[in-house]
Amino acid sequence: MSNNPSDETRTQAAGATAPWLKAQGSRFFLDWLHEQQVSLAFTTYQTGKLFFVGRKPDATLSMFERTYGHCMGLWASPDGQTLWLASRFQLWRMEQAPAQIIPYQPPDSSDPKSALPPWSQRGYDVAYVPREGITTGHLDVHDVCLDADGRVIFVNTLFGCLATTSEKASFQPLWRPPFLSSLVPEDRCHLNGLAMREGRPAYVTVVADSDVTDGWRDRRRDGGCVIDIASNEIIARGLSMPHSPRWYRDRLWVLNSGTGELGWIDLDDGSFQSVAFCPGYLRGLSFFGDYAVATLSKPRHDSFHGLDLDDRLAKAGAEPQCGLHIINIETGAVNHWLRLEGTMVTELYDSVVLPGVRQPMAVGFQTNEIERLLMVDQEGQI
């Protein structure tokens, strides 16, 4: 089952004359999904979309999207059953269900899109159903995770702290970097990334160890740090806008976004060990087997100019890309990729791998599918 480089999918709004997004995979991208028995999901806050990437029954590319305003951090349970998503002012929990149980929407003659067959007949095998929405207010939440106890922990970038949900307030603060003198909504250091280790928060990334309002912007080129939460110590310095720290195979991986590099931190001396260069601003990182899945964005030159990434792209004779790169962490080679073209999607944030899923979709709020979807749990006791 091969995927020709010209294989692509287009997303087009009703009545539009041209697609607002075109996705094109590398030659063996779909083969990789098939061999690994996975699908992917990723977010773009730019247009507020959660995307699912999979394979149709005819072995072509499937792209499915739902709208969540300013969606950022995305977390998936190891079995892919549960998703947590951070949006502009809410956290969402979604649970997996078989796509064939999604109620059929009868055709509406006034809407040509409604004449499509039911989801299961279109090849979708799994649906993600929103089950819980928690209102936090606009905290600029970046990474979101679950700890070993099932507690949601998220990066509260506006206040520069790690937090969890609260029944009575917008959030409950859990930890903040030792250099922050107070808990205030000033985005002083741009705390953005969280790495879990053995089910507990272990490391975070900040763009700079600044203690003044918006101070991180002045040190984007080399002010980035990695902090050990347990010791409250900065264990790595000199990074350029680092994002998405992840503990995987006994290494602390991180995206050095301002240089376009995936690498890991040597915990003995704090040095950054580069593994791969990608032609884009990196944010969002997940792993499966020998592979890392990283999201690439086209830089906002009005905000992120003057970074080493610009120089490296120019030297390579390359333009910045938007999409996903599948990187072999043993060799550093970009084995597969998915490239996105379109003016409405140029910046991505997070990515997750969904094991055992071929063609995923999600239930939204704009039709009556969600109100007609009734599922009964096992009987309990009073």
Side-chain angles (χ1 to χ4, degrees), residues 61-82:
L61 181 64
S62 169
M63 290 279 291
F64 189 94
E65 53 90 3
R66 287 297 189 193
T67 299
Y68 287 87
H70 201 83
C71 52
M72 299 270 286
L74 186 61
W75 178 90
S77 59
D79 59 4
Q81 293 292 315
T82 302

mmCIF file with all atom_site columns, all heavy atoms in Angstrom, residues 61-82:
data_model
loop_
_atom_site.group_PDB
_atom_site.id
_atom_site.type_symbol
_atom_site.label_atom_id
_atom_site.label_alt_id
_atom_site.label_comp_id
_atom_site.label_asym_id
_atom_site.label_entity_id
_atom_site.label_seq_id
_atom_site.pdbx_PDB_ins_code
_atom_site.Cartn_x
_atom_site.Cartn_y
_atom_site.Cartn_z
_atom_site.occupancy
_atom_site.B_iso_or_equiv
_atom_site.pdbx_formal_charge
_atom_site.auth_seq_id
_atom_site.auth_comp_id
_atom_site.auth_asym_id
_atom_site.auth_atom_id
_atom_site.pdbx_PDB_model_num
ATOM 1   N N   . LEU A 1 61 ? -5.539  9.538  2.202  1.00 0.00 ? 61 LEU A N   1
ATOM 2   C CA  . LEU A 1 61 ? -5.409  10.368 3.400  1.00 0.00 ? 61 LEU A CA  1
ATOM 3   C C   . LEU A 1 61 ? -6.773  10.861 3.883  1.00 0.00 ? 61 LEU A C   1
ATOM 4   O O   . LEU A 1 61 ? -7.603  11.320 3.098  1.00 0.00 ? 61 LEU A O   1
ATOM 5   C CB  . LEU A 1 61 ? -4.500  11.562 3.091  1.00 0.00 ? 61 LEU A CB  1
ATOM 6   C CG  . LEU A 1 61 ? -4.214  12.541 4.225  1.00 0.00 ? 61 LEU A CG  1
ATOM 7   C CD1 . LEU A 1 61 ? -3.439  11.859 5.344  1.00 0.00 ? 61 LEU A CD1 1
ATOM 8   C CD2 . LEU A 1 61 ? -3.434  13.737 3.679  1.00 0.00 ? 61 LEU A CD2 1
ATOM 9   N N   . SER A 1 62 ? -6.995  10.770 5.186  1.00 0.00 ? 62 SER A N   1
ATOM 10  C CA  . SER A 1 62 ? -8.200  11.297 5.817  1.00 0.00 ? 62 SER A CA  1
ATOM 11  C C   . SER A 1 62 ? -7.822  12.451 6.745  1.00 0.00 ? 62 SER A C   1
ATOM 12  O O   . SER A 1 62 ? -6.912  12.322 7.572  1.00 0.00 ? 62 SER A O   1
ATOM 13  C CB  . SER A 1 62 ? -8.912  10.207 6.627  1.00 0.00 ? 62 SER A CB  1
ATOM 14  O OG  . SER A 1 62 ? -9.942  10.753 7.436  1.00 0.00 ? 62 SER A OG  1
ATOM 15  N N   . MET A 1 63 ? -8.500  13.579 6.577  1.00 0.00 ? 63 MET A N   1
ATOM 16  C CA  . MET A 1 63 ? -8.324  14.735 7.466  1.00 0.00 ? 63 MET A CA  1
ATOM 17  C C   . MET A 1 63 ? -9.702  15.120 8.007  1.00 0.00 ? 63 MET A C   1
ATOM 18  O O   . MET A 1 63 ? -10.638 15.330 7.229  1.00 0.00 ? 63 MET A O   1
ATOM 19  C CB  . MET A 1 63 ? -7.708  15.914 6.719  1.00 0.00 ? 63 MET A CB  1
ATOM 20  C CG  . MET A 1 63 ? -6.257  15.724 6.322  1.00 0.00 ? 63 MET A CG  1
ATOM 21  S SD  . MET A 1 63 ? -5.104  16.053 7.673  1.00 0.00 ? 63 MET A SD  1
ATOM 22  C CE  . MET A 1 63 ? -5.273  17.816 7.869  1.00 0.00 ? 63 MET A CE  1
ATOM 23  N N   . PHE A 1 64 ? -9.817  15.210 9.318  1.00 0.00 ? 64 PHE A N   1
ATOM 24  C CA  . PHE A 1 64 ? -11.090 15.577 9.945  1.00 0.00 ? 64 PHE A CA  1
ATOM 25  C C   . PHE A 1 64 ? -10.817 16.678 10.950 1.00 0.00 ? 64 PHE A C   1
ATOM 26  O O   . PHE A 1 64 ? -9.808  16.637 11.666 1.00 0.00 ? 64 PHE A O   1
ATOM 27  C CB  . PHE A 1 64 ? -11.702 14.362 10.646 1.00 0.00 ? 64 PHE A CB  1
ATOM 28  C CG  . PHE A 1 64 ? -13.108 14.576 11.130 1.00 0.00 ? 64 PHE A CG  1
ATOM 29  C CD1 . PHE A 1 64 ? -14.184 14.207 10.348 1.00 0.00 ? 64 PHE A CD1 1
ATOM 30  C CD2 . PHE A 1 64 ? -13.350 15.165 12.360 1.00 0.00 ? 64 PHE A CD2 1
ATOM 31  C CE1 . PHE A 1 64 ? -15.487 14.413 10.789 1.00 0.00 ? 64 PHE A CE1 1
ATOM 32  C CE2 . PHE A 1 64 ? -14.635 15.380 12.804 1.00 0.00 ? 64 PHE A CE2 1
ATOM 33  C CZ  . PHE A 1 64 ? -15.711 15.001 12.021 1.00 0.00 ? 64 PHE A CZ  1
ATOM 34  N N   . GLU A 1 65 ? -11.702 17.679 11.020 1.00 0.00 ? 65 GLU A N   1
ATOM 35  C CA  . GLU A 1 65 ? -11.466 18.793 11.940 1.00 0.00 ? 65 GLU A CA  1
ATOM 36  C C   . GLU A 1 65 ? -12.729 19.192 12.688 1.00 0.00 ? 65 GLU A C   1
ATOM 37  O O   . GLU A 1 65 ? -13.842 19.022 12.185 1.00 0.00 ? 65 GLU A O   1
ATOM 38  C CB  . GLU A 1 65 ? -10.891 20.003 11.189 1.00 0.00 ? 65 GLU A CB  1
ATOM 39  C CG  . GLU A 1 65 ? -11.694 20.464 9.974  1.00 0.00 ? 65 GLU A CG  1
ATOM 40  C CD  . GLU A 1 65 ? -12.751 21.499 10.281 1.00 0.00 ? 65 GLU A CD  1
ATOM 41  O OE1 . GLU A 1 65 ? -12.842 21.937 11.451 1.00 0.00 ? 65 GLU A OE1 1
ATOM 42  O OE2 . GLU A 1 65 ? -13.500 21.864 9.362  1.00 0.00 ? 65 GLU A OE2 1
ATOM 43  N N   . ARG A 1 66 ? -12.509 19.678 13.908 1.00 0.00 ? 66 ARG A N   1
ATOM 44  C CA  . ARG A 1 66 ? -13.560 20.281 14.706 1.00 0.00 ? 66 ARG A CA  1
ATOM 45  C C   . ARG A 1 66 ? -13.038 21.602 15.263 1.00 0.00 ? 66 ARG A C   1
ATOM 46  O O   . ARG A 1 66 ? -11.828 21.785 15.424 1.00 0.00 ? 66 ARG A O   1
ATOM 47  C CB  . ARG A 1 66 ? -13.971 19.374 15.872 1.00 0.00 ? 66 ARG A CB  1
ATOM 48  C CG  . ARG A 1 66 ? -14.771 18.148 15.465 1.00 0.00 ? 66 ARG A CG  1
ATOM 49  C CD  . ARG A 1 66 ? -16.099 18.499 14.841 1.00 0.00 ? 66 ARG A CD  1
ATOM 50  N NE  . ARG A 1 66 ? -16.953 17.324 14.654 1.00 0.00 ? 66 ARG A NE  1
ATOM 51  C CZ  . ARG A 1 66 ? -18.046 17.318 13.920 1.00 0.00 ? 66 ARG A CZ  1
ATOM 52  N NH1 . ARG A 1 66 ? -18.428 18.412 13.281 1.00 0.00 ? 66 ARG A NH1 1
ATOM 53  N NH2 . ARG A 1 66 ? -18.776 16.220 13.810 1.00 0.00 ? 66 ARG A NH2 1
ATOM 54  N N   . THR A 1 67 ? -13.955 22.503 15.554 1.00 0.00 ? 67 THR A N   1
ATOM 55  C CA  . THR A 1 67 ? -13.585 23.842 15.996 1.00 0.00 ? 67 THR A CA  1
ATOM 56  C C   . THR A 1 67 ? -13.594 23.950 17.514 1.00 0.00 ? 67 THR A C   1
ATOM 57  O O   . THR A 1 67 ? -14.607 23.625 18.157 1.00 0.00 ? 67 THR A O   1
ATOM 58  C CB  . THR A 1 67 ? -14.550 24.893 15.411 1.00 0.00 ? 67 THR A CB  1
ATOM 59  O OG1 . THR A 1 67 ? -14.476 24.844 13.983 1.00 0.00 ? 67 THR A OG1 1
ATOM 60  C CG2 . THR A 1 67 ? -14.196 26.285 15.879 1.00 0.00 ? 67 THR A CG2 1
ATOM 61  N N   . TYR A 1 68 ? -12.467 24.360 18.074 1.00 0.00 ? 68 TYR A N   1
ATOM 62  C CA  . TYR A 1 68 ? -12.333 24.717 19.486 1.00 0.00 ? 68 TYR A CA  1
ATOM 63  C C   . TYR A 1 68 ? -11.492 25.989 19.537 1.00 0.00 ? 68 TYR A C   1
ATOM 64  O O   . TYR A 1 68 ? -10.322 25.970 19.146 1.00 0.00 ? 68 TYR A O   1
ATOM 65  C CB  . TYR A 1 68 ? -11.656 23.605 20.293 1.00 0.00 ? 68 TYR A CB  1
ATOM 66  C CG  . TYR A 1 68 ? -12.532 22.395 20.535 1.00 0.00 ? 68 TYR A CG  1
ATOM 67  C CD1 . TYR A 1 68 ? -12.590 21.357 19.616 1.00 0.00 ? 68 TYR A CD1 1
ATOM 68  C CD2 . TYR A 1 68 ? -13.317 22.313 21.686 1.00 0.00 ? 68 TYR A CD2 1
ATOM 69  C CE1 . TYR A 1 68 ? -13.394 20.253 19.836 1.00 0.00 ? 68 TYR A CE1 1
ATOM 70  C CE2 . TYR A 1 68 ? -14.129 21.210 21.916 1.00 0.00 ? 68 TYR A CE2 1
ATOM 71  C CZ  . TYR A 1 68 ? -14.169 20.190 20.987 1.00 0.00 ? 68 TYR A CZ  1
ATOM 72  O OH  . TYR A 1 68 ? -14.968 19.102 21.204 1.00 0.00 ? 68 TYR A OH  1
ATOM 73  N N   . GLY A 1 69 ? -12.064 27.075 20.011 1.00 0.00 ? 69 GLY A N   1
ATOM 74  C CA  . GLY A 1 69 ? -11.383 28.360 19.952 1.00 0.00 ? 69 GLY A CA  1
ATOM 75  C C   . GLY A 1 69 ? -10.020 28.352 20.615 1.00 0.00 ? 69 GLY A C   1
ATOM 76  O O   . GLY A 1 69 ? -9.878  27.939 21.760 1.00 0.00 ? 69 GLY A O   1
ATOM 77  N N   . HIS A 1 70 ? -9.011  28.800 19.877 1.00 0.00 ? 70 HIS A N   1
ATOM 78  C CA  . HIS A 1 70 ? -7.644  28.954 20.388 1.00 0.00 ? 70 HIS A CA  1
ATOM 79  C C   . HIS A 1 70 ? -7.155  27.673 21.074 1.00 0.00 ? 70 HIS A C   1
ATOM 80  O O   . HIS A 1 70 ? -6.579  27.714 22.169 1.00 0.00 ? 70 HIS A O   1
ATOM 81  C CB  . HIS A 1 70 ? -7.576  30.132 21.362 1.00 0.00 ? 70 HIS A CB  1
ATOM 82  C CG  . HIS A 1 70 ? -6.186  30.674 21.551 1.00 0.00 ? 70 HIS A CG  1
ATOM 83  N ND1 . HIS A 1 70 ? -5.603  31.576 20.684 1.00 0.00 ? 70 HIS A ND1 1
ATOM 84  C CD2 . HIS A 1 70 ? -5.269  30.444 22.509 1.00 0.00 ? 70 HIS A CD2 1
ATOM 85  C CE1 . HIS A 1 70 ? -4.389  31.873 21.121 1.00 0.00 ? 70 HIS A CE1 1
ATOM 86  N NE2 . HIS A 1 70 ? -4.162  31.195 22.212 1.00 0.00 ? 70 HIS A NE2 1
ATOM 87  N N   . CYS A 1 71 ? -7.355  26.524 20.436 1.00 0.00 ? 71 CYS A N   1
ATOM 88  C CA  . CYS A 1 71 ? -6.946  25.271 21.072 1.00 0.00 ? 71 CYS A CA  1
ATOM 89  C C   . CYS A 1 71 ? -5.425  25.112 21.019 1.00 0.00 ? 71 CYS A C   1
ATOM 90  O O   . CYS A 1 71 ? -4.783  25.410 20.021 1.00 0.00 ? 71 CYS A O   1
ATOM 91  C CB  . CYS A 1 71 ? -7.651  24.085 20.443 1.00 0.00 ? 71 CYS A CB  1
ATOM 92  S SG  . CYS A 1 71 ? -7.548  23.941 18.653 1.00 0.00 ? 71 CYS A SG  1
ATOM 93  N N   . MET A 1 72 ? -4.861  24.630 22.120 1.00 0.00 ? 72 MET A N   1
ATOM 94  C CA  . MET A 1 72 ? -3.398  24.545 22.273 1.00 0.00 ? 72 MET A CA  1
ATOM 95  C C   . MET A 1 72 ? -3.001  23.133 22.707 1.00 0.00 ? 72 MET A C   1
ATOM 96  O O   . MET A 1 72 ? -2.880  22.230 21.901 1.00 0.00 ? 72 MET A O   1
ATOM 97  C CB  . MET A 1 72 ? -2.935  25.590 23.286 1.00 0.00 ? 72 MET A CB  1
ATOM 98  C CG  . MET A 1 72 ? -3.243  27.028 22.899 1.00 0.00 ? 72 MET A CG  1
ATOM 99  S SD  . MET A 1 72 ? -1.937  27.810 21.949 1.00 0.00 ? 72 MET A SD  1
ATOM 100 C CE  . MET A 1 72 ? -0.716  28.087 23.201 1.00 0.00 ? 72 MET A CE  1
ATOM 101 N N   . GLY A 1 73 ? -2.769  22.966 24.023 1.00 0.00 ? 73 GLY A N   1
ATOM 102 C CA  . GLY A 1 73 ? -2.262  21.707 24.529 1.00 0.00 ? 73 GLY A CA  1
ATOM 103 C C   . GLY A 1 73 ? -3.204  20.544 24.274 1.00 0.00 ? 73 GLY A C   1
ATOM 104 O O   . GLY A 1 73 ? -4.428  20.663 24.370 1.00 0.00 ? 73 GLY A O   1
ATOM 105 N N   . LEU A 1 74 ? -2.618  19.388 23.967 1.00 0.00 ? 74 LEU A N   1
ATOM 106 C CA  . LEU A 1 74 ? -3.376  18.181 23.651 1.00 0.00 ? 74 LEU A CA  1
ATOM 107 C C   . LEU A 1 74 ? -2.683  17.008 24.328 1.00 0.00 ? 74 LEU A C   1
ATOM 108 O O   . LEU A 1 74 ? -1.463  16.847 24.204 1.00 0.00 ? 74 LEU A O   1
ATOM 109 C CB  . LEU A 1 74 ? -3.424  17.984 22.141 1.00 0.00 ? 74 LEU A CB  1
ATOM 110 C CG  . LEU A 1 74 ? -4.287  16.857 21.577 1.00 0.00 ? 74 LEU A CG  1
ATOM 111 C CD1 . LEU A 1 74 ? -5.751  17.062 21.935 1.00 0.00 ? 74 LEU A CD1 1
ATOM 112 C CD2 . LEU A 1 74 ? -4.123  16.781 20.065 1.00 0.00 ? 74 LEU A CD2 1
ATOM 113 N N   . TRP A 1 75 ? -3.454  16.205 25.064 1.00 0.00 ? 75 TRP A N   1
ATOM 114 C CA  . TRP A 1 75 ? -2.909  15.032 25.747 1.00 0.00 ? 75 TRP A CA  1
ATOM 115 C C   . TRP A 1 75 ? -3.756  13.826 25.402 1.00 0.00 ? 75 TRP A C   1
ATOM 116 O O   . TRP A 1 75 ? -4.986  13.915 25.349 1.00 0.00 ? 75 TRP A O   1
ATOM 117 C CB  . TRP A 1 75 ? -2.914  15.248 27.264 1.00 0.00 ? 75 TRP A CB  1
ATOM 118 C CG  . TRP A 1 75 ? -2.413  14.080 28.068 1.00 0.00 ? 75 TRP A CG  1
ATOM 119 C CD1 . TRP A 1 75 ? -1.126  13.831 28.454 1.00 0.00 ? 75 TRP A CD1 1
ATOM 120 C CD2 . TRP A 1 75 ? -3.196  12.990 28.593 1.00 0.00 ? 75 TRP A CD2 1
ATOM 121 N NE1 . TRP A 1 75 ? -1.057  12.667 29.186 1.00 0.00 ? 75 TRP A NE1 1
ATOM 122 C CE2 . TRP A 1 75 ? -2.317  12.127 29.282 1.00 0.00 ? 75 TRP A CE2 1
ATOM 123 C CE3 . TRP A 1 75 ? -4.552  12.667 28.540 1.00 0.00 ? 75 TRP A CE3 1
ATOM 124 C CZ2 . TRP A 1 75 ? -2.745  10.963 29.917 1.00 0.00 ? 75 TRP A CZ2 1
ATOM 125 C CZ3 . TRP A 1 75 ? -4.997  11.501 29.153 1.00 0.00 ? 75 TRP A CZ3 1
ATOM 126 C CH2 . TRP A 1 75 ? -4.102  10.672 29.845 1.00 0.00 ? 75 TRP A CH2 1
ATOM 127 N N   . ALA A 1 76 ? -3.090  12.693 25.169 1.00 0.00 ? 76 ALA A N   1
ATOM 128 C CA  . ALA A 1 76 ? -3.793  11.444 24.887 1.00 0.00 ? 76 ALA A CA  1
ATOM 129 C C   . ALA A 1 76 ? -3.316  10.384 25.861 1.00 0.00 ? 76 ALA A C   1
ATOM 130 O O   . ALA A 1 76 ? -2.117  10.284 26.167 1.00 0.00 ? 76 ALA A O   1
ATOM 131 C CB  . ALA A 1 76 ? -3.536  10.986 23.451 1.00 0.00 ? 76 ALA A CB  1
ATOM 132 N N   . SER A 1 77 ? -4.247  9.592  26.377 1.00 0.00 ? 77 SER A N   1
ATOM 133 C CA  . SER A 1 77 ? -3.869  8.463  27.219 1.00 0.00 ? 77 SER A CA  1
ATOM 134 C C   . SER A 1 77 ? -3.067  7.466  26.391 1.00 0.00 ? 77 SER A C   1
ATOM 135 O O   . SER A 1 77 ? -3.177  7.442  25.159 1.00 0.00 ? 77 SER A O   1
ATOM 136 C CB  . SER A 1 77 ? -5.120  7.798  27.806 1.00 0.00 ? 77 SER A CB  1
ATOM 137 O OG  . SER A 1 77 ? -5.974  7.344  26.772 1.00 0.00 ? 77 SER A OG  1
ATOM 138 N N   . PRO A 1 78 ? -2.238  6.638  27.028 1.00 0.00 ? 78 PRO A N   1
ATOM 139 C CA  . PRO A 1 78 ? -1.400  5.695  26.265 1.00 0.00 ? 78 PRO A CA  1
ATOM 140 C C   . PRO A 1 78 ? -2.189  4.802  25.319 1.00 0.00 ? 78 PRO A C   1
ATOM 141 O O   . PRO A 1 78 ? -1.668  4.412  24.265 1.00 0.00 ? 78 PRO A O   1
ATOM 142 C CB  . PRO A 1 78 ? -0.706  4.880  27.362 1.00 0.00 ? 78 PRO A CB  1
ATOM 143 C CG  . PRO A 1 78 ? -0.647  5.812  28.539 1.00 0.00 ? 78 PRO A CG  1
ATOM 144 C CD  . PRO A 1 78 ? -1.926  6.604  28.471 1.00 0.00 ? 78 PRO A CD  1
ATOM 145 N N   . ASP A 1 79 ? -3.431  4.467  25.674 1.00 0.00 ? 79 ASP A N   1
ATOM 146 C CA  . ASP A 1 79 ? -4.235  3.620  24.798 1.00 0.00 ? 79 ASP A CA  1
ATOM 147 C C   . ASP A 1 79 ? -5.075  4.423  23.817 1.00 0.00 ? 79 ASP A C   1
ATOM 148 O O   . ASP A 1 79 ? -5.827  3.848  23.015 1.00 0.00 ? 79 ASP A O   1
ATOM 149 C CB  . ASP A 1 79 ? -5.138  2.700  25.616 1.00 0.00 ? 79 ASP A CB  1
ATOM 150 C CG  . ASP A 1 79 ? -6.104  3.468  26.530 1.00 0.00 ? 79 ASP A CG  1
ATOM 151 O OD1 . ASP A 1 79 ? -6.125  4.715  26.475 1.00 0.00 ? 79 ASP A OD1 1
ATOM 152 O OD2 . ASP A 1 79 ? -6.824  2.811  27.307 1.00 0.00 ? 79 ASP A OD2 1
ATOM 153 N N   . GLY A 1 80 ? -4.985  5.749  23.857 1.00 0.00 ? 80 GLY A N   1
ATOM 154 C CA  . GLY A 1 80 ? -5.722  6.586  22.930 1.00 0.00 ? 80 GLY A CA  1
ATOM 155 C C   . GLY A 1 80 ? -7.200  6.709  23.229 1.00 0.00 ? 80 GLY A C   1
ATOM 156 O O   . GLY A 1 80 ? -7.940  7.291  22.432 1.00 0.00 ? 80 GLY A O   1
ATOM 157 N N   . GLN A 1 81 ? -7.656  6.198  24.370 1.00 0.00 ? 81 GLN A N   1
ATOM 158 C CA  . GLN A 1 81 ? -9.074  6.230  24.688 1.00 0.00 ? 81 GLN A CA  1
ATOM 159 C C   . GLN A 1 81 ? -9.551  7.630  25.109 1.00 0.00 ? 81 GLN A C   1
ATOM 160 O O   . GLN A 1 81 ? -10.685 8.009  24.859 1.00 0.00 ? 81 GLN A O   1
ATOM 161 C CB  . GLN A 1 81 ? -9.384  5.232  25.816 1.00 0.00 ? 81 GLN A CB  1
ATOM 162 C CG  . GLN A 1 81 ? -9.191  3.778  25.428 1.00 0.00 ? 81 GLN A CG  1
ATOM 163 C CD  . GLN A 1 81 ? -10.208 3.305  24.404 1.00 0.00 ? 81 GLN A CD  1
ATOM 164 O OE1 . GLN A 1 81 ? -11.397 3.573  24.532 1.00 0.00 ? 81 GLN A OE1 1
ATOM 165 N NE2 . GLN A 1 81 ? -9.728  2.602  23.385 1.00 0.00 ? 81 GLN A NE2 1
ATOM 166 N N   . THR A 1 82 ? -8.681  8.371  25.759 1.00 0.00 ? 82 THR A N   1
ATOM 167 C CA  . THR A 1 82 ? -9.056  9.672  26.318 1.00 0.00 ? 82 THR A CA  1
ATOM 168 C C   . THR A 1 82 ? -8.186  10.777 25.747 1.00 0.00 ? 82 THR A C   1
ATOM 169 O O   . THR A 1 82 ? -6.967  10.604 25.605 1.00 0.00 ? 82 THR A O   1
ATOM 170 C CB  . THR A 1 82 ? -8.919  9.667  27.852 1.00 0.00 ? 82 THR A CB  1
ATOM 171 O OG1 . THR A 1 82 ? -9.729  8.631  28.393 1.00 0.00 ? 82 THR A OG1 1
ATOM 172 C CG2 . THR A 1 82 ? -9.344  10.998 28.450 1.00 0.00 ? 82 THR A CG2 1
#
